[in-house]
Amino acid sequence: METLEQIRDRLQARFSGAPVTLVTNPGPAAEHSLLLDAASAREIALFLRDDPALRLDYCSNVTGVDWPEKEIVETTKVSQPDPAGGSARIVEQKTKRLQPGCLEVVYHLYSMARKHGPVILRLRTGNRTNQVTLPSLTPVWRSCEFQEREVFDLYGVVFDGHPDLRRILMWDGFQDHPMRKDYVAPDDFEWEPTAHGEVLERAKAHLPKVEEPES
Amino acid sequence: MSDESASPPAAPTDAERDELRRHGILLTSLEELHNWGRSNSIWPLQFGLACCAIEMIATATARFDIARFGAEIFRPSPRQADLMIVSGTVTKKMAPQVVRLWNQMPEPKYCIAMGACAISGGPFKQGYNVLKGIDRFIPVDIYIPGCPPRPEALLNGLIELQKKIRAERLTGPDAARHTRPEEPSEFPVPEFGAHDLVPPNNPEVWQAPTLPRPGKA
Amino acid sequence: MTSHPYAFLALFLGVALAFPLAMLAVAQLWVRFFQRAKPGPLKNATYECGLAPTGDSWIQFKAHYYLYAIFFLIFDVEVLFLLPFAVAFTALPTGALVAMLAFILLLAEGLVWAWHRGYLEWQ
């Protein structure tokens, strides 16, 4: 199979104007992926499925990732002129910026016809609050149907074009999206015999108070 | 003839009974017969939720053989069953169905919580969809720890249940649950709320065991 | 005192009535004294694999079952009449033969009608 860079170049050549970025994965598995734009994702997916060299006809996994907003602190060395009129000093300056958060959907594609893969695609939403719509790739790969329902249920990503988008694991009246980083579990920590860490903090609210012995 | 102690003669001990039995005389009581019949033909409800269900199936196979305890007839309908083996993780989505099936079983009925998940939520206790033990909603008679418990452990639990049934009386303080009219035979089914089940547990059935530890003021 | 030849039947009838009645009576006494029935709305609800029952629990009876039962009855009774006819076939006068032939023809005409109308096809 061609390398991910070659696939990216081919995609960029064919779908001019569609930004396709290569996202490197620094881990030992080196599973680099292609970050697609929501507007062009469906056509790129159809191309990847039908292209004779790639024939990626099997979508084996669809997962979601919740990227909360992150405060990034960059330290730069700036040379400041000495107000007293001496030599310039080099001062470290810290700039903070807020990287906005988003929700991401990751697709793992394999080819049954050519027996190669995986090719990993990423799609990112605008933000985590009101721009959470992404195109559904179920019309391209049928196996995405239930998995996109799971991503909708647990992360809250709304898939446009999905034939039957509803919750799959939680019940229909459930309000939260449990796999988001800011999910707070309901308070049923009355009986936690081996609590530690975060569970211990929640369980402390239910522990009975023991009278301090009068010394 | 008046005795010093006017108490009625004591019931024959087990040793005396065995002696009589060797001579072909069987002494029994109505309660014993009733309990013997019930304990040796417990019909479980075919109710498996997760991995413990596989161990339950294995118990029904020839090697571990639950049939020798009279319990090989797993009923598909709750109306014909008198034991519910809750085997596997009870998710919050499944909990109302478990309670409804428990309600639809006729008395006398017994519940075995098999495996860590049915007892208290198990290894998935902090999951967002995991009910922390089925005893939050229905009364459990026997708890079988394990993840999953081996078939021998399930058979041990079944034997303990048989012992419990044999110890039940028809009247008096040891009276069985099904003979007491004040014991409820149906329990409220939890509804699906916005964030959790409503109610999250049944306070008449389950009170959290107290762990006396110093709490923060 | 000669006993009536059918006296044992009266005894048999008495025991046949008393035995199940006694068992039912014991069961009723058991319920009254030891195990009061505890019905309830949730307990008596229709069984639907643990879900809240939706829809009607009375399903429509398929009329085809009734048709099949009727056809079976008719042809079974016909066979019942044909059996002594077959046994005494060689000893019958011609008039009887003609009468039985008319009988068979009538029923064969009923069979042909049912076949033609499609009532023998299972839907």
Side-chain angles (χ1 to χ4, degrees):
Chain A
M1 191 178 78
E2 39 195 281
T3 65
L4 214 55
E5 286 88 359
Q6 290 171 327
I7 299 177
R8 180 202 52 193
D9 295 334
R10 274 218 290 154
L11 287 174
Q12 277 175 338
R14 186 179 163 114
F15 298 98
S16 54
V20 179
T21 336
L22 196 114
V23 177
T24 50
N25 188 336
E31 299 224 342
H32 313 300
S33 45
L34 293 173
L35 174 62
L36 302 180
D37 187 48
S40 54
R42 187 79 68 79
E43 339 173 71
I44 294 181
L46 279 164
F47 172 74
L48 287 172
R49 187 189 70 181
D50 299 328
D51 177 52
L54 286 171
R55 290 287 300 275
L56 294 162
D57 48 12
Y58 175 50
C59 174
S60 78
N61 187 29
V62 181
T63 359
V65 186
D66 181 16
W67 296 107
E69 57 178 34
K70 202 159 65 164
E71 197 182 68
I72 300 183
V73 177
E74 285 166 357
T75 45
T76 45
K77 288 185 161 51
V78 174
S79 71
Q80 264 185 347
D82 195 358
S87 56
R89 294 183 308 168
I90 300 186
V91 169
E92 276 189 359
Q93 213 172 46
K94 288 195 198 265
T95 46
K96 286 189 191 173
R97 66 181 173 92
L98 205 62
Q99 188 183 62
C102 69
L103 298 166
E104 191 180 54
V105 184
V106 184
Y107 292 82
H108 284 65
L109 305 171
Y110 286 83
S111 174
M112 289 288 176
R114 298 264 172 268
K115 298 196 176 21
H116 60 220
V119 168
I120 305 169
L121 306 177
R122 291 177 189 246
L123 279 93
R124 290 189 184 156
T125 63
N127 58 25
R128 292 174 76 239
T129 46
N130 56 354
Q131 295 167 19
V132 288
T133 311
L134 283 177
S136 164
L137 298 186
T138 305
V140 184
W141 296 289
R142 184 77 191 278
S143 58
C144 299
E145 185 180 348
F146 277 14
Q147 309 198 60
E148 283 179 353
R149 270 179 69 182
E150 186 186 14
V151 175
F152 165 66
D153 186 5
L154 301 178
Y155 289 92
V157 176
V158 176
F159 287 95
D160 200 16
H162 192 279
D164 182 20
L165 193 66
R166 54 196 164 97
R167 286 186 180 265
I168 193 170
L169 177 60
M170 307 309 294
W171 54 89
D172 288 322
F174 196 70
Q175 299 283 354
D176 307 315
H177 297 287
M179 286 297 278
R180 288 199 181 181
K181 301 281 188 205
D182 49 6
Y183 172 68
V184 175
D187 190 23
D188 54 356
F189 291 87
E190 304 94 336
W191 173 237
E192 299 287 340
T194 56
H196 48 269
E198 188 201 313
V199 174
L200 181 58
E201 295 306 313
R202 300 285 309 262
K204 277 187 181 156
H206 293 278
L207 289 175
K209 305 290 180 285
V210 170
E211 294 283 327
E212 295 295 321
E214 288 182 33
S215 49
Chain B
M1 209 158 110
S2 60
D3 249 337
E4 277 299 334
S5 53
S7 57
T13 61
D14 285 336
E16 289 170 359
R17 279 222 200 127
D18 282 338
E19 183 64 40
L20 281 168
R21 212 164 144 198
R22 254 176 266 132
H23 292 281
I25 302 173
L26 179 66
L27 278 182
T28 183
S29 70
L30 188 64
E31 280 170 351
E32 267 191 44
L33 272 180
H34 178 59
N35 292 341
W36 171 81
R38 285 194 303 132
S39 60
N40 287 336
S41 70
I42 302 178
W43 287 9
L45 176 66
Q46 202 181 64
F47 193 67
L49 291 171
C51 355
C52 282
I54 308 298
E55 291 292 335
M56 191 171 73
I57 294 168
T59 315
T61 55
R63 191 186 186 108
F64 303 103
D65 206 13
I66 205 172
R68 44 194 170 131
F69 298 93
E72 83 272 12
I73 311 186
F74 282 80
R75 308 309 298 165
S77 162
R79 308 278 191 212
Q80 301 159 2
D82 46 20
L83 167 66
M84 178 192 249
I85 306 180
V86 182
S87 50
T89 319
V90 188
T91 52
K92 288 182 183 166
K93 200 169 178 181
M94 187 70 190
Q97 298 192 35
V98 178
V99 180
R100 265 190 218 108
L101 285 171
W102 177 254
N103 286 341
Q104 287 171 356
M105 286 169 70
E107 299 272 342
K109 56 188 174 187
Y110 302 94
C111 177
I112 289 183
M114 175 186 179
C117 290
I119 296 176
S120 70
F124 314 111
K125 186 167 185 167
Q126 312 307 335
Y128 40 84
N129 199 11
V130 174
L131 182 67
K132 299 187 182 180
I134 191 59
D135 58 352
R136 288 191 173 215
F137 286 108
I138 58 179
V140 172
D141 296 289
I142 301 283
Y143 296 86
I144 304 180
C147 186
R150 274 196 61 95
E152 290 97 332
L154 175 58
L155 290 174
N156 187 27
L158 189 66
I159 293 170
E160 293 293 323
L161 181 66
Q162 287 181 333
K163 286 187 201 164
K164 187 171 181 175
I165 294 176
R166 276 187 220 123
E168 283 178 352
R169 299 278 159 260
L170 290 170
T171 50
D174 288 331
R177 201 168 57 220
H178 60 273
T179 60
R180 293 195 228 213
E182 74 274 7
E183 292 276 340
S185 69
E186 52 179 39
F187 295 87
V189 177
E191 305 276 320
F192 291 133
H195 304 282
D196 196 4
L197 289 173
V198 172
N201 56 60
N202 186 349
E204 288 164 31
V205 173
W206 183 80
Q207 281 89 38
T210 46
L211 289 164
R213 287 188 199 150
K216 282 214 163 109
Chain C
M1 286 276 267
T2 53
S3 57
H4 197 276
Y6 288 155
F8 78 97
L9 275 181
L11 179 66
F12 199 49
L13 185 68
V15 170
L17 277 174
F19 196 64
L21 283 176
M23 284 207 278
L24 286 172
V26 166
Q28 284 299 311
L29 283 173
W30 184 277
V31 164
R32 222 183 112 221
F33 284 109
F34 294 132
Q35 199 170 329
R36 288 270 170 166
K38 293 195 236 178
L42 295 171
K43 201 170 186 179
N44 295 343
T46 310
Y47 167 67
E48 203 173 302
C49 298
L51 298 168
T54 50
D56 214 1
S57 56
W58 287 24
I59 55 174
Q60 196 188 30
F61 179 75
K62 284 190 170 56
H64 224 70
Y65 288 120
Y66 175 75
L67 270 174
Y68 259 62
I70 290 286
F71 286 137
F72 166 74
L73 188 67
I74 293 173
F75 291 110
D76 200 38
V77 171
E78 177 192 359
V79 165
L80 209 62
F81 281 114
L82 284 178
L83 275 172
F85 173 61
V87 165
F89 189 66
T90 47
L92 281 175
T94 328
L97 183 66
V98 170
M100 278 309 289
L101 252 151
F103 174 68
I104 293 174
L105 270 172
L106 272 170
L107 283 165
E109 185 239 356
L111 175 66
V112 166
W113 169 84
W115 198 332
H116 173 71
R117 279 291 197 106
Y119 291 135
L120 297 179
E121 297 283 326
W122 179 258
Q123 279 123 22

Short mmCIF file of all heavy atoms in Angstrom, two decimals, chain B residues 121-159:
data_model
loop_
_atom_site.label_atom_id
_atom_site.label_comp_id
_atom_site.label_asym_id
_atom_site.label_seq_id
_atom_site.Cartn_x
_atom_site.Cartn_y
_atom_site.Cartn_z
N GLY B 121 -21.56 -4.43 41.66
CA GLY B 121 -21.08 -3.67 40.52
C GLY B 121 -19.78 -4.20 39.96
O GLY B 121 -19.47 -3.97 38.81
N GLY B 122 -19.03 -4.91 40.79
CA GLY B 122 -17.88 -5.63 40.29
C GLY B 122 -16.76 -4.74 39.79
O GLY B 122 -16.60 -3.60 40.22
N PRO B 123 -15.98 -5.27 38.83
CA PRO B 123 -14.85 -4.48 38.31
C PRO B 123 -15.29 -3.26 37.53
O PRO B 123 -14.49 -2.36 37.28
CB PRO B 123 -14.11 -5.48 37.42
CG PRO B 123 -15.06 -6.56 37.14
CD PRO B 123 -16.02 -6.61 38.26
N PHE B 124 -16.55 -3.23 37.12
CA PHE B 124 -17.03 -2.10 36.33
C PHE B 124 -17.83 -1.14 37.17
O PHE B 124 -18.67 -0.40 36.66
CB PHE B 124 -17.89 -2.62 35.17
CG PHE B 124 -17.27 -3.78 34.47
CD1 PHE B 124 -17.82 -5.03 34.57
CD2 PHE B 124 -16.11 -3.61 33.73
CE1 PHE B 124 -17.24 -6.11 33.93
CE2 PHE B 124 -15.53 -4.68 33.10
CZ PHE B 124 -16.10 -5.93 33.19
N LYS B 125 -17.57 -1.14 38.47
CA LYS B 125 -18.44 -0.44 39.41
C LYS B 125 -18.56 1.04 39.10
O LYS B 125 -19.61 1.63 39.26
CB LYS B 125 -17.90 -0.64 40.82
CG LYS B 125 -18.80 -0.07 41.85
CD LYS B 125 -18.40 -0.55 43.22
CE LYS B 125 -19.44 -0.04 44.21
NZ LYS B 125 -19.36 -0.65 45.48
N GLN B 126 -17.48 1.67 38.65
CA GLN B 126 -17.53 3.11 38.44
C GLN B 126 -18.00 3.46 37.04
O GLN B 126 -17.91 4.60 36.62
CB GLN B 126 -16.15 3.73 38.68
CG GLN B 126 -15.49 3.28 39.97
CD GLN B 126 -16.37 3.46 41.18
OE1 GLN B 126 -17.26 4.31 41.18
NE2 GLN B 126 -16.18 2.65 42.19
N GLY B 127 -18.51 2.47 36.30
CA GLY B 127 -19.00 2.75 34.97
C GLY B 127 -20.26 3.58 35.00
O GLY B 127 -21.04 3.52 35.95
N TYR B 128 -20.49 4.31 33.92
CA TYR B 128 -21.63 5.23 33.91
C TYR B 128 -22.94 4.49 33.74
O TYR B 128 -23.99 5.02 33.99
CB TYR B 128 -21.47 6.27 32.81
CG TYR B 128 -20.91 5.72 31.53
CD1 TYR B 128 -21.72 5.11 30.60
CD2 TYR B 128 -19.55 5.81 31.27
CE1 TYR B 128 -21.20 4.60 29.44
CE2 TYR B 128 -19.02 5.30 30.10
CZ TYR B 128 -19.86 4.70 29.20
OH TYR B 128 -19.34 4.19 28.05
N ASN B 129 -22.90 3.25 33.30
CA ASN B 129 -24.15 2.54 33.06
C ASN B 129 -24.28 1.32 33.96
O ASN B 129 -25.11 0.48 33.72
CB ASN B 129 -24.21 2.11 31.58
CG ASN B 129 -25.62 1.79 31.14
OD1 ASN B 129 -26.58 2.06 31.84
ND2 ASN B 129 -25.73 1.20 29.98
N VAL B 130 -23.44 1.22 35.00
CA VAL B 130 -23.42 0.00 35.81
C VAL B 130 -24.21 0.24 37.08
O VAL B 130 -23.96 1.22 37.80
CB VAL B 130 -21.97 -0.39 36.14
CG1 VAL B 130 -21.94 -1.55 37.10
CG2 VAL B 130 -21.24 -0.74 34.88
N LEU B 131 -25.16 -0.65 37.35
CA LEU B 131 -25.87 -0.61 38.62
C LEU B 131 -25.01 -1.29 39.67
O LEU B 131 -24.50 -2.39 39.44
CB LEU B 131 -27.20 -1.34 38.49
CG LEU B 131 -28.08 -1.34 39.72
CD1 LEU B 131 -28.56 0.05 40.01
CD2 LEU B 131 -29.24 -2.29 39.55
N LYS B 132 -24.83 -0.62 40.80
CA LYS B 132 -23.87 -1.14 41.79
C LYS B 132 -24.52 -2.23 42.62
O LYS B 132 -24.69 -2.11 43.82
CB LYS B 132 -23.36 0.01 42.65
CG LYS B 132 -22.66 1.04 41.81
CD LYS B 132 -21.98 2.11 42.59
CE LYS B 132 -21.35 3.11 41.65
NZ LYS B 132 -20.66 4.20 42.28
N GLY B 133 -24.86 -3.32 41.97
CA GLY B 133 -25.43 -4.44 42.71
C GLY B 133 -26.93 -4.51 42.53
O GLY B 133 -27.64 -3.53 42.68
N ILE B 134 -27.42 -5.72 42.23
CA ILE B 134 -28.86 -5.85 42.02
C ILE B 134 -29.61 -5.81 43.35
O ILE B 134 -30.82 -5.59 43.39
CB ILE B 134 -29.16 -7.15 41.24
CG1 ILE B 134 -30.62 -7.18 40.77
CG2 ILE B 134 -28.87 -8.38 42.06
CD1 ILE B 134 -31.02 -6.04 39.90
N ASP B 135 -28.88 -5.94 44.48
CA ASP B 135 -29.61 -5.92 45.76
C ASP B 135 -30.06 -4.52 46.12
O ASP B 135 -30.68 -4.32 47.15
CB ASP B 135 -28.78 -6.53 46.88
CG ASP B 135 -27.47 -5.84 47.07
OD1 ASP B 135 -27.12 -4.98 46.23
OD2 ASP B 135 -26.76 -6.16 48.02
N ARG B 136 -29.78 -3.54 45.24
CA ARG B 136 -30.34 -2.21 45.47
C ARG B 136 -31.83 -2.18 45.18
O ARG B 136 -32.53 -1.26 45.59
CB ARG B 136 -29.64 -1.18 44.58
CG ARG B 136 -28.25 -0.91 45.03
CD ARG B 136 -27.63 0.27 44.35
NE ARG B 136 -26.35 0.55 44.98
CZ ARG B 136 -25.84 1.76 45.16
NH1 ARG B 136 -26.48 2.81 44.74
NH2 ARG B 136 -24.68 1.91 45.73
N PHE B 137 -32.32 -3.17 44.42
CA PHE B 137 -33.72 -3.13 44.04
C PHE B 137 -34.51 -4.35 44.45
O PHE B 137 -35.71 -4.26 44.65
CB PHE B 137 -33.85 -2.93 42.53
CG PHE B 137 -33.52 -1.54 42.08
CD1 PHE B 137 -32.35 -1.27 41.39
CD2 PHE B 137 -34.36 -0.49 42.38
CE1 PHE B 137 -32.04 0.01 41.01
CE2 PHE B 137 -34.06 0.80 42.00
CZ PHE B 137 -32.89 1.04 41.31
N ILE B 138 -33.87 -5.52 44.48
CA ILE B 138 -34.63 -6.72 44.86
C ILE B 138 -33.88 -7.43 45.98
O ILE B 138 -32.67 -7.31 46.08
CB ILE B 138 -34.85 -7.67 43.66
CG1 ILE B 138 -33.53 -8.09 43.02
CG2 ILE B 138 -35.72 -7.02 42.62
CD1 ILE B 138 -33.71 -9.03 41.88
N PRO B 139 -34.60 -8.17 46.81
CA PRO B 139 -33.93 -8.87 47.91
C PRO B 139 -33.17 -10.08 47.41
O PRO B 139 -33.71 -10.90 46.68
CB PRO B 139 -35.10 -9.27 48.82
CG PRO B 139 -36.26 -9.35 47.92
CD PRO B 139 -36.06 -8.35 46.84
N VAL B 140 -31.92 -10.18 47.80
CA VAL B 140 -31.06 -11.27 47.36
C VAL B 140 -30.89 -12.25 48.52
O VAL B 140 -30.66 -11.84 49.65
CB VAL B 140 -29.69 -10.72 46.91
CG1 VAL B 140 -28.72 -11.83 46.63
CG2 VAL B 140 -29.86 -9.86 45.68
N ASP B 141 -31.00 -13.54 48.21
CA ASP B 141 -30.86 -14.54 49.26
C ASP B 141 -29.44 -15.03 49.40
O ASP B 141 -28.94 -15.20 50.49
CB ASP B 141 -31.78 -15.74 48.95
CG ASP B 141 -33.22 -15.35 48.97
OD1 ASP B 141 -33.74 -15.09 50.07
OD2 ASP B 141 -33.84 -15.29 47.90
N ILE B 142 -28.78 -15.31 48.28
CA ILE B 142 -27.44 -15.87 48.32
C ILE B 142 -26.55 -15.01 47.44
O ILE B 142 -26.92 -14.65 46.33
CB ILE B 142 -27.44 -17.32 47.77
CG1 ILE B 142 -28.37 -18.21 48.59
CG2 ILE B 142 -26.05 -17.90 47.72
CD1 ILE B 142 -27.83 -18.64 49.90
N TYR B 143 -25.36 -14.69 47.97
CA TYR B 143 -24.36 -13.98 47.17
C TYR B 143 -23.23 -14.95 46.86
O TYR B 143 -22.70 -15.59 47.76
CB TYR B 143 -23.79 -12.80 47.96
CG TYR B 143 -24.77 -11.73 48.31
CD1 TYR B 143 -25.56 -11.82 49.45
CD2 TYR B 143 -24.93 -10.61 47.50
CE1 TYR B 143 -26.46 -10.82 49.76
CE2 TYR B 143 -25.82 -9.62 47.82
CZ TYR B 143 -26.58 -9.74 48.95
OH TYR B 143 -27.46 -8.75 49.27
N ILE B 144 -22.86 -15.04 45.60
CA ILE B 144 -21.75 -15.92 45.22
C ILE B 144 -20.63 -15.04 44.70
O ILE B 144 -20.73 -14.49 43.60
CB ILE B 144 -22.18 -16.91 44.12
CG1 ILE B 144 -23.39 -17.70 44.58
CG2 ILE B 144 -21.04 -17.85 43.80
CD1 ILE B 144 -23.86 -18.68 43.56
N PRO B 145 -19.56 -14.87 45.45
CA PRO B 145 -18.47 -14.01 44.96
C PRO B 145 -17.66 -14.72 43.89
O PRO B 145 -17.65 -15.95 43.80
CB PRO B 145 -17.64 -13.75 46.21
CG PRO B 145 -17.90 -14.92 47.08
CD PRO B 145 -19.28 -15.41 46.79
N GLY B 146 -17.01 -13.93 43.09
CA GLY B 146 -16.18 -14.50 42.04
C GLY B 146 -16.28 -13.64 40.81
O GLY B 146 -17.20 -12.86 40.66
N CYS B 147 -15.31 -13.77 39.94
CA CYS B 147 -15.37 -13.00 38.71
C CYS B 147 -14.76 -13.79 37.58
O CYS B 147 -13.62 -13.53 37.20
CB CYS B 147 -14.67 -11.65 38.87
SG CYS B 147 -14.85 -10.59 37.45
N PRO B 148 -15.44 -14.71 36.97
CA PRO B 148 -16.72 -15.24 37.41
C PRO B 148 -16.51 -16.37 38.41
O PRO B 148 -15.44 -16.98 38.43
CB PRO B 148 -17.33 -15.78 36.12
CG PRO B 148 -16.17 -16.25 35.33
CD PRO B 148 -15.02 -15.34 35.69
N PRO B 149 -17.52 -16.68 39.22
CA PRO B 149 -17.36 -17.82 40.11
C PRO B 149 -17.31 -19.10 39.29
O PRO B 149 -17.99 -19.24 38.29
CB PRO B 149 -18.62 -17.78 40.99
CG PRO B 149 -19.54 -16.86 40.33
CD PRO B 149 -18.79 -16.00 39.40
N ARG B 150 -16.51 -20.02 39.71
CA ARG B 150 -16.42 -21.30 39.01
C ARG B 150 -17.75 -22.03 39.13
O ARG B 150 -18.53 -21.77 40.03
CB ARG B 150 -15.31 -22.15 39.63
CG ARG B 150 -13.96 -21.87 39.05
CD ARG B 150 -13.01 -23.00 39.42
NE ARG B 150 -13.48 -24.25 38.88
CZ ARG B 150 -13.06 -24.76 37.71
NH1 ARG B 150 -12.18 -24.10 36.98
NH2 ARG B 150 -13.52 -25.91 37.28
N PRO B 151 -18.04 -22.97 38.23
CA PRO B 151 -19.28 -23.72 38.37
C PRO B 151 -19.43 -24.40 39.72
O PRO B 151 -20.53 -24.49 40.26
CB PRO B 151 -19.18 -24.76 37.25
CG PRO B 151 -18.33 -24.11 36.23
CD PRO B 151 -17.36 -23.27 36.95
N GLU B 152 -18.31 -24.84 40.29
CA GLU B 152 -18.41 -25.44 41.62
C GLU B 152 -18.89 -24.42 42.63
O GLU B 152 -19.62 -24.74 43.57
CB GLU B 152 -17.05 -26.00 42.08
CG GLU B 152 -16.60 -27.22 41.32
CD GLU B 152 -15.64 -26.87 40.20
OE1 GLU B 152 -15.74 -25.76 39.68
OE2 GLU B 152 -14.81 -27.71 39.85
N ALA B 153 -18.48 -23.16 42.44
CA ALA B 153 -18.92 -22.12 43.36
C ALA B 153 -20.41 -21.87 43.21
O ALA B 153 -21.12 -21.65 44.20
CB ALA B 153 -18.13 -20.84 43.12
N LEU B 154 -20.90 -21.91 41.97
CA LEU B 154 -22.34 -21.73 41.78
C LEU B 154 -23.09 -22.88 42.41
O LEU B 154 -24.14 -22.70 43.04
CB LEU B 154 -22.66 -21.64 40.28
CG LEU B 154 -24.13 -21.58 39.92
CD1 LEU B 154 -24.80 -20.39 40.57
CD2 LEU B 154 -24.30 -21.49 38.41
N LEU B 155 -22.55 -24.11 42.28
CA LEU B 155 -23.21 -25.24 42.91
C LEU B 155 -23.17 -25.11 44.42
O LEU B 155 -24.15 -25.45 45.10
CB LEU B 155 -22.54 -26.54 42.47
CG LEU B 155 -22.77 -26.92 41.01
CD1 LEU B 155 -21.96 -28.12 40.64
CD2 LEU B 155 -24.23 -27.17 40.77
N ASN B 156 -22.07 -24.58 44.95
CA ASN B 156 -22.02 -24.35 46.40
C ASN B 156 -23.09 -23.35 46.81
O ASN B 156 -23.77 -23.53 47.82
CB ASN B 156 -20.63 -23.82 46.78
CG ASN B 156 -20.46 -23.71 48.27
OD1 ASN B 156 -21.10 -24.44 49.02
ND2 ASN B 156 -19.63 -22.79 48.70
N GLY B 157 -23.26 -22.30 46.00
CA GLY B 157 -24.31 -21.34 46.30
C GLY B 157 -25.68 -21.98 46.25
O GLY B 157 -26.55 -21.69 47.08
N LEU B 158 -25.87 -22.87 45.28
CA LEU B 158 -27.16 -23.56 45.19
C LEU B 158 -27.38 -24.44 46.40
O LEU B 158 -28.48 -24.52 46.95
CB LEU B 158 -27.18 -24.39 43.91
CG LEU B 158 -28.51 -25.01 43.54
CD1 LEU B 158 -29.50 -23.93 43.20
CD2 LEU B 158 -28.35 -25.94 42.36
N ILE B 159 -26.31 -25.08 46.89
CA ILE B 159 -26.44 -25.93 48.08
C ILE B 159 -26.77 -25.07 49.29
O ILE B 159 -27.60 -25.45 50.14
CB ILE B 159 -25.15 -26.74 48.30
CG1 ILE B 159 -25.00 -27.75 47.17
CG2 ILE B 159 -25.16 -27.44 49.63
CD1 ILE B 159 -23.65 -28.42 47.16
#
